[in-house]
């Protein structure tokens, strides 16, 4: 009885109790807390998934764009035929996949071609069709290519199409050289024969051969250079000891011209040749300062068939014997001799046709020469103008003048506004006549806009080989372009290939 009572009292006094209910509450609380954390973490992970997918896709697409860029560069650099660039093989649009096993990640490259550097130009200039060419409109060798490469990734749930795609852009500079390499045939006036050396050796003679025979003889014997030192050289010998057409070798009698080592001192007098307006080369006196001699280059017998006749140094039968190709060269013609040399037809100078100031058109004619350095050739090849002053790329308006009979000034006058391929002519000079105002473009920093003559209407002076007079190109004014036929007294342009202006757009 006493034990029972004590136990009961112990219970009443707060002895040991059952805590299972509190534990259950604690477990439920922990479950709720963990579930909340899980939901929160899951929400964060779900929220971050698009960013992760975007980053992954972005990495893939930039690699794809880079791959497309390299493919395009490879095609540009291998666009050639026979070792020379072939613009017909240049790419304009390229598509492909980055991996044959993952054709969902692809690239697309578009290429535009420019004559002027697009690197620092605003997008409005780059996107103007007047400033670039595509494969369909590419009619001349470009200097620059603008490559735009886009990479596209596979579709991903939660990402919009195009989200994470990347676009890269770069400018490729072509390795281009428009250096004129002299060397061409010297034809007779009727252009049925050419001069061919019997060999490329000392004392070899030169004879007239038919065009078919000239092909058989090859360039080593039929290609000539009329050099800046007034000597006529066999092109194939320039890399070693140059050989020059020489004569007379002895005395004053008619004799065959021969090839001899080109001289650089006063003994070169019998290797100097003056091109005149009668389709002939005239020799030089000894001493050189004494001027032109009475000897010329001519065939053995100009009245007989030319085939096989030797080239002679003679005092008769001189007139009208030769028609050198433009590639033979311009001799010493330049601004220093008051001559205006066309760049593409680089053996041709501006000429007052037939030495007639009233002619209805001007022509591009083989540049006249004076080996004595006195520039005593005819007035119709002396055109006076001013280059832009130092620090300026373009001159102020000026007149282009010739002095008829070395006394009376006449000014080159452009045709009326709107004329297409119109002929400029010479008229008495008038300061009030706007059509006699010309701008000379020097080095503007862009080769395409340099070394031009533009009239008051912004048209360019050009030689037009599609419109000829006795085989010589007529001179016209026409819309300015990148044509070398519009460049006068111009240096060459050479550039190395580079890839630059690399950036991401979009």
């Amino acid at each position: 009885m006493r034990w029972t009572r004590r136990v009961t009292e112990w219970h009443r006094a707060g002895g040991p109790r059952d805590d299972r209910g509190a534990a259950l509450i604690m477990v439920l609380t922990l479950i709720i807390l963990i579930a909340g954390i899980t939901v929160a973490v899951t929400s964060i992970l779900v929220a971050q998934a698009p960013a992760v997918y975007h980053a992954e896709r972005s990495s893939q697409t930039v690699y794809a764009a880079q791959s497309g860029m390299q493919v395009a560069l490879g095609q540009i650099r291998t666009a050639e035929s026979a070792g020379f660039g072939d613009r017909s093989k240049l790419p304009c649009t390229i598509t492909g996949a980055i991996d044959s096993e993952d054709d969902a990640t692809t690239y697309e490259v578009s290429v535009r071609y420019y004559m002027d550097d697009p690197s620092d130009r605003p997008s409005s200039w780059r996107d103007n069709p007047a400033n670039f060419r595509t494969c369909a409109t590419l009619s001349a060798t470009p200097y620059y290519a603008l490559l735009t490469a886009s990479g596209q990734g596979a579709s991903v749930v939660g990402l919009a199409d195009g989200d994470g795609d990347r676009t890269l852009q770069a400018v490729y500079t072509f390795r281009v050289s428009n250096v004129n390499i002299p060397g061409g045939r010297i034809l007779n006036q009727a252009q049925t024969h050419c001069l061919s050396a019997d060999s490329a050796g000392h004392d070899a003679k030169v004879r007239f051969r038919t065009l078919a025979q000239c092909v058989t003889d090859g360039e080593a014997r039929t290609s000539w250079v009329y050099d800046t030192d007034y000597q006529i050289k066999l092109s194939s010998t320039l890399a070693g000891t140059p050989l020059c057409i020489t004569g007379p070798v002895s005395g004053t009698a008619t004799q065959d011209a021969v090839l001899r080592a080109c001289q650089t001192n006063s003994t070169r007098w019998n290797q100097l040749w003056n091109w005149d307006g009668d389709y002939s080369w005239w020799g030089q006196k000894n001493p050189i300062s004494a001027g032109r001699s009475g000897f010329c280059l001519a065939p053995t017998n100009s009245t007989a068939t030319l085939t096989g006749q030797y080239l002679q140094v003679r005092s008769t039968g001189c007139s009208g014997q030769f028609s050198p190709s433009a590639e033979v060269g311009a001799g010493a013609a330049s601004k220093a001799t008051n001559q205006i040399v066309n760049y593409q037809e680089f053996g041709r100078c501006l000429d007052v046709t037939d030495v007639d100031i009233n002619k209805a058109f001007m022509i591009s004619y083989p540049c006249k020469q004076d080996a004595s350095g006195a520039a005593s050739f005819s007035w119709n090849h002396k055109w006076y103008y001013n280059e832009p002053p130092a620090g300026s790329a373009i001159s102020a308006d000026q007149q282009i003048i010739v002095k008829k009979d070395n006394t009376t000034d006449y000014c080159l006058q452009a045709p009326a506004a709107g004329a297409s391929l119109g002929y400029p002519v010479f008229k008495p000079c008038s300061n009030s006549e706007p059509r006699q105002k010309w701008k000379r473009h020097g080095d503007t920093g862009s080769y395409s806009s340099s070394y031009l003559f533009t009239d008051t209407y912004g048209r360019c002076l050009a030689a037009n080989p599609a419109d000829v007079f006795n085989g010589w190109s007529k001179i016209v004014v026409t819309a300015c372009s990148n044509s070398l036929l519009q460049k006068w007294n111009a240096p060459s342009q050479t550039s190395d290939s580079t890839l630059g202006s690399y950036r991401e757009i979009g």
Side-chain angles (χ1 to χ4, degrees):
M1 289 291 293
R2 180 176 297 177
W3 180 84
T4 301
R5 183 180 60 81
R6 286 182 178 174
V7 171
T8 301
E9 288 178 352
W10 180 65
H11 275 263
R12 290 176 180 173
R17 295 184 299 240
D18 189 351
D19 290 338
R20 288 177 294 179
L24 179 61
I25 293 174
M26 181 176 294
V27 169
L28 291 175
T29 301
L30 288 174
I31 291 173
I32 293 172
L33 179 61
I34 292 171
I37 292 173
T38 302
V39 170
V41 170
T42 302
S43 299
I44 292 172
L45 292 176
V46 170
Q48 291 297 316
V52 173
Y53 295 152
H54 182 281
E56 181 181 5
R57 184 175 181 181
S58 180
S59 297
Q60 293 173 342
T61 56
V62 76
Y63 293 145
Q66 290 171 341
S67 297
M69 186 82 71
Q70 293 303 315
V71 171
L73 286 173
Q75 292 190 20
I76 289 174
R77 288 167 172 160
T78 57
E80 62 176 47
S81 296
F84 294 93
D86 185 348
R87 64 174 180 269
S88 68
K89 296 182 179 180
L90 289 173
C92 272
T93 303
I94 303 169
T95 58
I98 191 172
D99 188 339
S100 60
E101 297 179 0
D102 178 21
D103 57 5
T105 304
T106 61
Y107 58 79
E108 181 175 343
V109 186
S110 64
V111 188
R112 293 175 178 174
Y113 298 97
Y114 297 79
M115 301 305 293
D116 292 326
D117 189 353
S119 299
D120 299 323
R121 305 280 188 161
S123 58
S124 58
W125 185 93
R126 295 184 184 210
D127 296 337
N128 186 342
N131 297 325
F132 68 84
R133 297 291 182 270
T134 63
C135 290
T137 59
L138 191 59
S139 59
T141 301
Y143 292 117
Y144 304 93
L146 178 65
L147 293 81
T148 304
S150 299
Q152 297 87 35
S155 297
V156 176
V157 176
L159 290 182
D161 288 343
D163 194 6
D165 291 352
R166 306 280 289 275
T167 300
L168 306 177
Q169 199 170 76
V171 174
Y172 179 76
T173 302
F174 286 86
R175 183 180 182 183
V176 174
S177 174
N178 64 359
V179 174
N180 287 325
I181 302 175
R185 290 180 179 175
I186 297 177
L187 306 172
N188 66 317
Q189 189 174 354
Q191 299 188 3
T192 58
H193 293 71
C194 85
L195 291 184
S196 177
D198 285 350
S199 70
H202 182 78
D203 276 345
K205 295 182 180 181
V206 180
R207 68 177 75 204
F208 288 85
R209 302 271 280 169
T210 67
L211 296 184
Q213 290 171 331
C214 291
V215 172
T216 301
D217 291 349
E219 289 189 2
R221 291 167 54 188
T222 62
S223 181
W224 304 88
V225 173
Y226 186 29
D227 217 338
T228 56
D229 51 15
Y230 305 100
Q231 293 171 316
I232 302 175
K233 303 171 182 177
L234 187 62
S235 299
S236 60
T237 66
L238 294 179
T241 300
L243 295 178
C244 286
I245 293 178
T246 306
V249 175
S250 62
T252 59
T254 297
Q255 55 196 277
D256 295 337
V258 295
L259 293 182
R260 290 197 172 174
C262 300
Q263 301 301 309
T264 59
N265 55 27
S266 61
T267 63
R268 74 187 189 282
W269 66 272
N270 61 348
Q271 295 178 340
L272 305 183
W273 303 99
N274 303 274
W275 177 262
D276 208 346
D278 58 0
Y279 299 82
S280 303
W281 269 295
W282 291 85
Q284 194 72 9
K285 291 180 180 179
N286 183 20
I288 295 170
S289 59
R292 196 179 81 172
S293 73
F295 290 90
C296 70
L297 294 176
T300 306
N301 185 347
S302 60
T303 61
T305 176
L306 277 177
T307 305
Q309 288 193 47
Y310 281 116
L311 178 69
Q312 290 194 324
V313 181
R314 52 191 303 125
S315 59
T316 60
C318 298
S319 181
Q321 297 299 336
F322 298 103
S323 177
S325 65
E327 293 78 13
V328 171
S334 65
K335 180 66 171 68
T337 57
N338 295 312
Q339 291 172 282
I340 300 178
V341 185
N342 188 265
Y343 193 77
Q344 181 155 318
E345 297 184 352
F346 59 94
R348 307 284 188 255
C349 285
L350 287 176
D351 177 277
V352 177
T353 313
D354 290 338
V355 202
D356 181 0
I357 200 67
N358 296 311
K359 207 72 174 182
F361 51 83
M362 303 299 114
I363 60 174
S364 177
Y365 184 81
C367 302
K368 296 180 180 179
Q369 311 285 335
D370 179 4
S372 67
S376 59
F377 47 80
S378 177
W379 60 268
N380 73 322
H381 261 231
K382 300 174 186 175
W383 297 44
Y384 299 90
Y385 74 93
N386 294 316
E387 290 286 348
S392 299
I394 303 174
S395 73
D397 287 341
Q398 62 175 305
Q399 294 169 318
I400 299 175
I401 299 170
V402 297
K403 295 181 178 292
K404 181 180 180 296
D405 299 323
N406 295 316
T407 57
T408 307
D409 287 357
Y410 280 80
C411 287
L412 188 66
Q413 182 167 303
S420 177
L421 295 178
Y423 301 133
V425 295
F426 277 98
K427 296 291 184 182
C429 294
S430 171
N431 289 326
S432 62
E433 174 54 74
R435 289 185 292 164
Q436 292 183 7
K437 303 296 185 182
W438 300 85
K439 284 185 171 64
R440 170 60 173 169
H441 300 242
D443 184 357
T444 66
S446 169
Y447 196 79
S448 63
S449 62
S450 299
Y451 313 110
L452 311 174
F453 289 102
T454 55
D455 68 7
T456 191
Y457 305 114
R459 301 171 298 189
C460 277
L461 193 70
N464 182 17
D467 185 6
V468 300
F469 172 72
N470 291 340
W472 315 116
S473 299
K474 291 182 181 179
I475 303 303
V476 297
V477 293
T478 185
C480 294
S481 66
N482 296 306
S483 173
L484 295 178
L485 290 166
Q486 297 180 356
K487 298 193 181 300
W488 305 91
N489 288 350
S492 61
Q493 181 189 29
T494 302
S495 59
D496 289 327
S497 60
T498 59
L499 181 69
S501 300
Y502 203 88
R503 60 177 183 158
E504 183 169 6
I505 62 174

